[in-house]
Amino acid sequence: MIERETLQASVNGRPVLRRVQIEPTNRCNFTCGYCRRAHWSRPEGDMDLERFQEVLSYLPEVPYIHLQGVGEPLLNKDLPAMIRRSRLRGARVGTTTNASMLSKKKAKALLDSGVNRINLSVDTLEAADFSRLRPGVSMEKVLANISALAELRHSGGYEDVGLTFALVAVPSAIESLCSIITLAAELGLDEVYLQNLNGSFLPTDDPVKESYGDSDYTYYNEATQSAQVLASRLGIRFLPPAMDVPDYSWRCRWPLHGCNVTWDGFVSPCCLQPDPDVLHFGNLFETDFEKIWSSPAYHHFRARVEADCEPLCAKCPDRYGQMWHPTANPFAELQP
């Protein structure tokens, strides 16, 4: 499941930061149509190790750090060192990869770094769908890399490192659920979790949004129920969101207990809105984090989210708890 810790929610009325997502790079070797980076024109770059150490020094100690942004983390050669330095600060650390660059050498470097969790982004096991969603990359190579990682975890004594298939709930993923769960069991992975598509940044008439914006969840519910039965039989945790059941009492906790830091230092309230051209509250390389975290702008944004009247969040699946399964939501324990 997504890493969660049990800590107090606030100190003297000030929200306590519990989770930070730091972007090692916003470069990617994939061009997935449903990814935010395919729909913006931000400059590309990497956070070097010196800058990363600066970011760690500016932030308060937190229980969990996830090294991921809109890019492929393995494109940053310093990723294993970033993980080690995060662990030295007492945080549990995870990352997410599309596994296309996960050579045996890089797999061992990741496992040796002390990483606690690796999410493996795979949205289909159908070759034609894979080529359409992720052009230019061989599905066979990706699966071979994942298989080698799983074998190394088992044979090398890294059993405490969690390995998870992380899926975006697009039609091809739903259609492949049972085969993905079966593969997870064959490889000895721990979990398969679905994340709802956050298409709020897509134009209304975008073909990607139209093809994934299914309002009839009958097939989804049938597919996830069948997959749950199979997962239980095979001993795999399977965590799908209840996409058709909004919880109107739910309030997103990201602005209160989490934040996202881009490769160039911009602080935004969550990983689902990482574009500083749309929203940010400051840059860590220019402003003290405490000033950013306690700023009036951040405070007013949190108040609007709490009051369910923030326009930027109106179409986000986590507005009413439909982004993740409750067990997979990092802040579910902090619901009011």
Side-chain angles (χ1 to χ4, degrees):
M1 67 188 71
I2 290 178
E3 295 284 344
R4 294 193 290 177
E5 303 287 344
T6 301
L7 292 178
Q8 62 193 116
S10 64
V11 174
N12 296 325
R14 176 186 179 277
V16 175
L17 183 66
R18 293 179 45 180
R19 178 187 180 95
V20 178
Q21 183 152 311
I22 304 175
E23 181 176 64
T25 179
N26 70 346
R27 296 183 297 125
C28 192
N29 59 329
F30 283 4
T31 53
C32 304
Y34 52 81
C35 177
R36 182 180 289 272
R37 73 180 304 279
H39 301 270
W40 69 13
S41 56
R42 283 209 75 219
E44 292 188 341
D46 298 354
M47 183 182 290
D48 62 34
L49 192 57
E50 182 179 353
R51 281 269 172 155
F52 180 78
Q53 186 63 51
E54 282 186 58
V55 169
L56 289 183
S57 69
Y58 297 151
L59 294 169
E61 292 187 3
V62 293
Y64 187 75
I65 295 173
H66 201 77
L67 298 177
Q68 178 199 5
V70 298
E72 167 51 47
L74 286 174
L75 283 170
N76 189 320
K77 62 181 178 57
D78 292 324
L79 180 64
M82 291 176 172
I83 294 169
R84 285 194 295 273
R85 295 195 180 190
S86 300
R87 294 285 284 140
L88 286 173
R89 283 178 58 91
R92 292 178 62 79
V93 183
T95 190
T96 298
T97 175
N98 61 37
S100 64
M101 302 177 62
L102 195 61
S103 64
K104 290 183 179 180
K105 181 179 179 180
K106 289 183 178 180
K108 189 172 191 309
L110 269 186
L111 294 172
D112 284 340
S113 70
V115 70
N116 298 103
R117 175 189 178 94
I118 303 174
N119 293 339
L120 302 159
S121 178
V122 175
D123 293 331
T124 182
L125 294 183
E126 297 297 327
D129 287 333
F130 192 96
S131 297
R132 176 177 55 81
L133 290 170
R134 298 177 173 185
V137 181
S138 163
M139 184 182 76
E140 290 73 18
K141 177 184 178 182
V142 168
L143 295 182
N145 290 347
I146 292 174
S147 179
L149 172 68
E151 173 57 32
L152 182 58
R153 179 183 76 154
H154 175 70
S155 63
Y158 304 98
E159 297 291 348
D160 57 335
V161 179
L163 294 183
T164 294
F165 274 146
L167 287 63
V168 176
V170 294
S172 58
I174 307 307
E175 293 162 5
S176 296
L177 277 179
C178 286
S179 57
I180 290 173
I181 288 170
T182 299
L183 178 62
E186 292 173 351
L187 295 177
L189 272 57
D190 306 298
E191 181 181 280
V192 174
Y193 85 86
L194 271 173
Q195 175 177 308
N196 201 346
L197 174 73
N198 179 27
S200 58
F201 58 89
L202 295 172
T204 303
D205 58 350
D206 191 286
V208 173
K209 192 167 190 174
E210 290 175 355
S211 64
Y212 301 153
D214 183 11
S215 59
D216 179 5
Y217 293 104
T218 302
Y219 177 72
Y220 171 81
N221 290 332
E222 291 176 350
T224 53
Q225 288 167 12
S226 297
Q228 191 67 263
V229 171
L230 176 64
S232 297
R233 180 164 60 82
L234 296 178
I236 295 291
R237 283 195 302 272
F238 174 53
L239 305 174
M243 295 199 300
D244 61 331
V245 185
D247 179 355
Y248 295 110
S249 67
W250 181 274
R251 290 296 179 268
C252 175
R253 302 288 91 184
W254 266 102
L256 289 166
H257 305 295
C259 73
N260 182 82
V261 181
T262 64
W263 71 272
D264 46 356
F266 288 101
V267 177
S268 63
C270 75
C271 67
L272 301 175
Q273 201 310 102
D275 184 354
D277 293 338
V278 176
L279 176 69
H280 73 85
F281 295 108
N283 191 296
L284 276 180
F285 302 128
E286 300 170 359
T287 307
D288 180 75
F289 178 77
E290 181 59 36
K291 290 183 178 178
I292 295 174
W293 186 249
S294 302
S295 68
Y298 221 144
H299 172 76
H300 293 316
F301 179 83
R302 294 184 185 111
R304 291 193 300 273
V305 171
E306 286 287 280
D308 193 25
C309 64
E310 170 50 53
L312 191 62
C313 305
K315 296 182 180 179
C316 177
D318 200 36
R319 180 183 184 186
Y320 296 131
Q322 297 166 286
M323 191 72 194
W324 297 283
H325 184 283
T327 304
N329 190 300
F331 304 117
E333 295 172 352
L334 289 172
Q335 281 302 299

